[in-house]
Amino acid sequence: MSRHELTDQQWEQIQPLLPKPIKRVGRPEVDPRKVLNGIIFVLKTGCAWRDMPKKYGSYTTCWRRLKQWQKWGVWERIWRKLLKQLREEQKLDFSRGFLDGSFVASKRGGDFIGRTKVGKGSKIMVVTERNGLPVGFHVESAQPHEIRLAEKTIQSVRIPSRRGAPKRRFTELVADRAYHSASFRSFLRKLGTKPVIPYRKNTKKEKRRPPSLGDGYKERWKVERCFAWMDNCRRLVVRYERYIQHYKAFCHLALILLCLNRLIH
């Protein structure tokens, strides 16, 4: 078994969450585990679809499955169900969240690609729980500043629960001074979340109050570690997909693998 394939424990966790095969006359459906392993191989190695090993079947089948399941919302549904399971097993800590963004270079044209000083590309925003596991993300053009994408990223947090409303807020949210904004602080307070964000150096002295960062700001490295985990999936480092939905599909799959590792270990 290749290190890029699902282990038996991971497959046992994810198999009940996959769509059931459609009964039809004609050619039987390809083994879903083999197809999923093929998609994961492309995700982790960053290779072209045509370079995918033949043991996973046709690369066209894997590519169509990735696109089709993204259109149906399968990837996001699996990810949120795994987060729900983690919450029920008390493996998620919402006492503190961490927010940050990362630039993703794009080698081709496509939607949601913007030009910046470092080149053209997209921006992926991630919010993690206290232990560094992503519980929300947002992909957008790289042109807008991160503070303009912060609210959408926070709103993407939605952990389903067996009873009652889904989990959406943290006790406190930690971010660097790039997210210092009166409107964003007000947005967090309305959610019942304490902002742990330092003021910018150019903030006027008469409007500047000593920020109470506490020990939370010292743990901001956890969101940086989250991006390092995601960068192990080489397909996420550089965007080759012309359509943002296809890149989001790879992002969802990377987060699914992180959730599986947390469930097992």
Side-chain angles (χ1 to χ4, degrees):
M1 177 182 294
S2 170
R3 63 188 179 94
H4 300 306
E5 298 178 3
L6 292 172
T7 64
D8 293 336
Q9 289 179 308
Q10 291 175 327
W11 176 246
E12 290 177 2
Q13 292 285 345
I14 198 174
Q15 184 182 15
L17 306 178
L18 298 178
K20 296 181 179 180
I22 301 175
K23 296 182 179 180
R24 58 185 179 183
V25 180
R27 183 183 301 177
E29 187 170 343
V30 183
D31 181 14
R33 183 172 183 177
K34 183 169 68 172
V35 175
L36 189 55
N37 282 332
I39 300 174
I40 293 174
F41 182 90
V42 174
L43 169 68
K44 288 190 173 183
T45 63
C47 71
W49 286 102
R50 291 178 181 273
D51 297 332
M52 188 187 75
K54 293 183 179 180
K55 66 177 182 178
Y56 300 124
S58 170
Y59 73 88
T60 306
T61 301
C62 295
W63 154 245
R64 288 175 179 171
R65 189 68 54 87
L66 175 80
K67 182 175 66 173
Q68 189 178 50
W69 283 6
Q70 176 65 18
K71 183 179 180 180
W72 293 350
V74 174
W75 300 116
E76 181 177 2
R77 184 165 63 249
I78 293 175
W79 173 50
R80 296 199 183 277
K81 286 184 177 180
L82 291 175
L83 288 175
K84 175 184 176 182
Q85 188 174 347
L86 284 168
R87 182 187 177 189
E88 293 174 350
E89 297 181 8
Q90 298 183 351
K91 293 184 178 181
L92 295 179
D93 189 350
F94 275 77
S95 62
R96 184 173 294 156
F98 302 94
L99 174 68
D100 205 357
S102 179
F103 173 78
V104 180
S106 177
K107 298 301 182 182
R108 300 177 180 177
D111 55 354
F112 293 93
I113 292 178
R115 292 190 177 275
T116 64
K117 294 180 180 179
V118 296
K120 67 177 183 178
S122 301
K123 188 171 294 182
I124 178 170
M125 303 286 297
V126 169
V127 57
T128 73
E129 46 89 46
R130 186 165 189 169
N131 297 318
L133 187 71
V135 292
F137 83 99
H138 179 68
V139 183
E140 187 63 74
S141 167
Q143 196 166 4
H145 192 276
E146 293 180 10
I147 188 61
R148 296 186 178 182
L149 309 176
E151 292 187 13
K152 292 182 180 180
T153 308
I154 299 300
Q155 291 171 347
S156 69
V157 178
R158 180 173 54 85
I159 314 299
S161 59
R162 185 169 299 180
R163 293 182 179 178
K167 184 70 175 179
R168 291 181 177 272
R169 67 180 183 88
F170 304 95
T171 304
E172 62 180 26
L173 182 75
V174 180
D176 59 30
R177 56 172 45 94
Y179 298 91
H180 166 58
S181 166
S183 60
F184 184 54
R185 291 176 183 272
S186 176
F187 168 78
L188 292 176
R189 292 191 180 101
K190 288 180 180 179
L191 294 177
T193 300
K194 175 186 176 183
V196 182
I197 305 171
Y199 290 92
R200 294 180 181 177
K201 294 182 180 180
N202 59 355
T203 304
K204 294 182 180 180
K205 293 183 178 180
E206 61 269 15
K207 294 184 179 181
R208 185 173 181 176
R209 293 175 295 177
S212 57
L213 300 179
D215 296 331
Y217 196 74
K218 297 179 181 179
E219 299 180 4
R220 203 178 65 83
W221 57 269
K222 292 181 179 179
V223 69
E224 302 291 348
R225 182 185 62 180
C226 169
F227 282 114
W229 286 342
M230 296 178 67
D231 285 348
N232 289 330
C233 300
R234 306 304 299 170
R235 192 77 179 197
L236 301 183
V237 178
V238 178
R239 178 184 163 184
Y240 293 98
E241 287 69 35
R242 294 185 181 273
Y243 298 102
I244 192 68
Q245 292 300 326
H246 301 161
Y247 183 77
K248 285 183 178 180
F250 278 124
C251 291
H252 277 125
L253 183 55
L255 301 186
I256 287 172
L257 295 178
L258 291 178
C259 289
L260 289 175
N261 291 336
R262 180 68 62 87
L263 280 170
I264 294 172
H265 301 294

